[in-house]
């Protein structure tokens, strides 16, 4: 049996590079797509501007080292769509909206036309109401069923991207789109700043002190590729712990005294629940910042 083929957009990015390596290490055949490769990813790849529908369709039609499309072949078993402007205010709001929405539409529509029905898309914790000190959440741990609340243009593109995913799946009962609401992604280098958070918890108040190690983000994406279901579904992806040494219960009581605590919180338990991702995807975080500081 041939290897399963997966196309990864945003493959040169912070998460994309690790996703490519993770999928390769688990036996997948990878085709990498990005608008700007600063280094050779070591796999078949294409530079493409995904806000251009023709380029998106061309990329998804690729069949390996030979990047020319073959209409008689279903080129990919799955698409991992990570390409986006990754942070609020990195560029103008209008450019963020235009880039993220058009690129996401182009990938979903190209996949539909090519009969590729397994899509994993990087949504974001931001649509849960970040910054949380200004949000409308009523209880922790926060789960996937809270009302979406995009307080930045970036977050709004994630809200609308999930709506777009739902519509594509409604019109194609064979399509699956897993929307992974990734928390703030951390690499080893980022953990050097964590001791400063202990001195001032306000620095991470905005996302309830949550984070996701980039390797665990990659694991969640692979698990989402492998999990079989139909339709659109959403999953919060965080590590099991917060960025703080202070217990989660103490943090909530001091900084969010009006929030209800559902159940009992373990010592440093994440306040953005990853229970659904564990239960349905089989996701199990393997890395904690405490190993590196």
């Amino acid at each position: 049996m041939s290897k399963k083929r997966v196309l990864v957009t945003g493959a040169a990015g912070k998460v994309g590079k690790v996703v490519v390596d993770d999928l390769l290490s688990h036996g997948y055949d990878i085709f990498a797509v990005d608008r700007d490769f600063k280094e050779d990813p070591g796999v078949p790849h294409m530079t493409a501007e995904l806000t251009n529908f023709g380029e998106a369709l061309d990329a998804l039609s690729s069949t390996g080292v030979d990047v020319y499309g073959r209409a008689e072949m279903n080129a990919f078993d799955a698409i991992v769509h990570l390409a986006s402007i990754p942070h609020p205010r990195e560029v103008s709001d209008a450019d963020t909206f235009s880039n993220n929405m058009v690129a996401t539409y182009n990938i979903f529509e190209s996949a539909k036309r090519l009969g590729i029905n397994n899509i994993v898309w990087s949504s974001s914790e931001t649509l849960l109401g970040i910054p949380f000190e200004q949000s409308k959440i009523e209880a922790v741990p926060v789960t996937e069923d809270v009302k979406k609340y995009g307080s930045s243009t970036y977050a709004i593109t994630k809200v609308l991207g999930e709506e777009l995913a739902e519509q594509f799946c409604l019109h194609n009962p064979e399509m699956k789109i897993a929307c992974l609401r990734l928390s703030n992604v951390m690499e080893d280098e980022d953990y050097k700043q964590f001791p400063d958070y202990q001195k001032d918890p306000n620095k991470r108040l905005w996302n309830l002190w949550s984070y996701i190690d980039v390797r665990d983000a990659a694991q969640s994406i692979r698990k989402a590729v492998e999990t079989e279901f139909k339709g659109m579904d959403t999953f919060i992806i965080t590590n099991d712990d917060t960025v703080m040494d202070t217990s989660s219960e103490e943090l909530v009581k001091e900084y969010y005294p009006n929030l209800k605590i559902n159940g009992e919180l373990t010592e440093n338990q994440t306040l953005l629940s990853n229970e659904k991702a564990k239960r349905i995807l089989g996701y199990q975080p393997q890395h904690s910042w405490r190993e590196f500081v």
Side-chain angles (χ1 to χ4, degrees):
M1 184 176 179
S2 61
K3 292 182 179 180
K4 286 192 174 181
R5 301 199 64 235
V6 179
L7 181 145
V8 180
T9 76
K14 184 176 186 177
V15 177
K17 291 185 290 188
V18 182
V19 167
V20 167
D21 289 343
D22 181 81
L23 288 170
L24 286 171
S25 72
H26 286 82
Y28 287 88
D29 188 3
I30 302 302
F31 188 77
V33 178
D34 203 285
R35 64 162 51 140
D36 186 18
F37 286 103
K38 291 184 170 61
E39 56 189 57
D40 190 328
V43 295
H45 59 280
M46 172 188 287
T47 299
E49 176 50 69
L50 298 179
T51 59
N52 180 300
F53 181 74
E55 292 193 33
L57 185 63
D58 184 273
L60 268 65
S61 302
S62 301
T63 58
V65 177
D66 174 6
V67 297
Y68 292 98
R70 297 288 183 263
E72 71 276 8
M73 298 179 67
N74 187 343
F76 297 102
D77 298 290
I79 306 297
V80 173
H81 178 39
L82 306 174
S84 73
I85 303 298
H87 305 291
R89 302 297 293 165
E90 186 168 305
V91 299
S92 73
D93 286 341
D95 284 347
T96 297
F97 186 87
S98 177
N99 182 94
N100 290 3
M101 290 308 306
V102 173
T104 298
Y105 168 80
N106 286 347
I107 291 298
F108 291 175
E109 178 65 21
S110 296
K112 182 191 77 173
R113 295 190 186 197
L114 294 168
I116 305 168
N117 290 324
N118 186 356
I119 301 173
V120 177
W121 174 62
S122 58
S123 186
S124 168
E125 66 179 2
T126 57
L127 58 67
L128 299 171
I130 288 174
F132 282 114
E133 63 266 34
Q134 300 174 21
S135 77
K136 303 181 186 304
I137 60 168
E138 298 177 349
V140 290
V142 178
T143 58
E144 285 81 1
D145 58 359
V146 299
K147 184 176 177 62
K148 289 178 278 194
Y149 184 74
S151 58
S152 67
T153 298
Y154 171 81
I156 289 171
T157 68
K158 298 304 184 180
V159 171
L160 297 179
E162 289 192 2
E163 295 295 328
L164 191 65
E166 183 171 15
Q167 290 300 314
F168 268 87
C169 291
L170 285 173
H171 289 281
N172 178 4
E174 294 304 310
M175 182 168 275
K176 155 199 159 186
I177 303 181
C179 302
L180 303 189
R181 297 171 173 179
L182 300 178
S183 188
N184 189 200
V185 179
M186 300 290 180
E187 300 172 304
D188 288 356
E189 187 70 18
D190 297 318
Y191 294 134
K192 293 178 180 178
Q193 63 192 320
F194 277 41
D196 287 339
Y197 300 153
Q198 314 313 316
K199 304 170 190 175
D200 184 8
N202 285 289
K203 290 183 177 180
R204 299 288 303 192
L205 196 66
W206 57 275
N207 81 332
L208 292 176
W209 306 281
S210 297
Y211 76 106
I212 177 67
D213 185 276
V214 68
R215 290 158 292 201
D216 287 321
Q219 180 214 147
S220 73
I221 289 164
R222 171 170 46 83
K223 293 287 189 180
V225 167
E226 295 168 347
T227 302
E228 295 184 6
F229 61 86
K230 302 297 184 186
M232 186 277 277
D233 208 348
T234 63
F235 304 90
I236 294 173
I237 305 297
T238 65
N239 277 75
D240 283 334
D241 56 348
T242 69
V243 304
M244 301 299 295
D245 284 328
T246 305
S247 76
S248 298
E249 185 173 354
E250 288 180 66
L251 290 168
V252 173
K253 288 181 176 178
E254 180 173 355
Y255 293 94
Y256 292 95
N258 295 323
L259 288 184
K260 177 184 176 184
I261 297 176
N262 289 326
E264 293 185 7
L265 296 175
T266 57
E267 181 66 12
N268 302 110
Q269 180 180 331
T270 177
L271 296 170
L272 300 184
S273 174
N274 57 20
E275 186 278 331
K276 182 180 177 184
K278 289 180 173 181
R279 174 169 44 87
I280 295 178
L281 303 181
Y283 165 64
Q284 289 293 335
Q286 301 295 315
H287 305 277
S288 169
W289 68 272
R290 299 166 208 280
E291 302 168 18
F292 304 94
V293 176

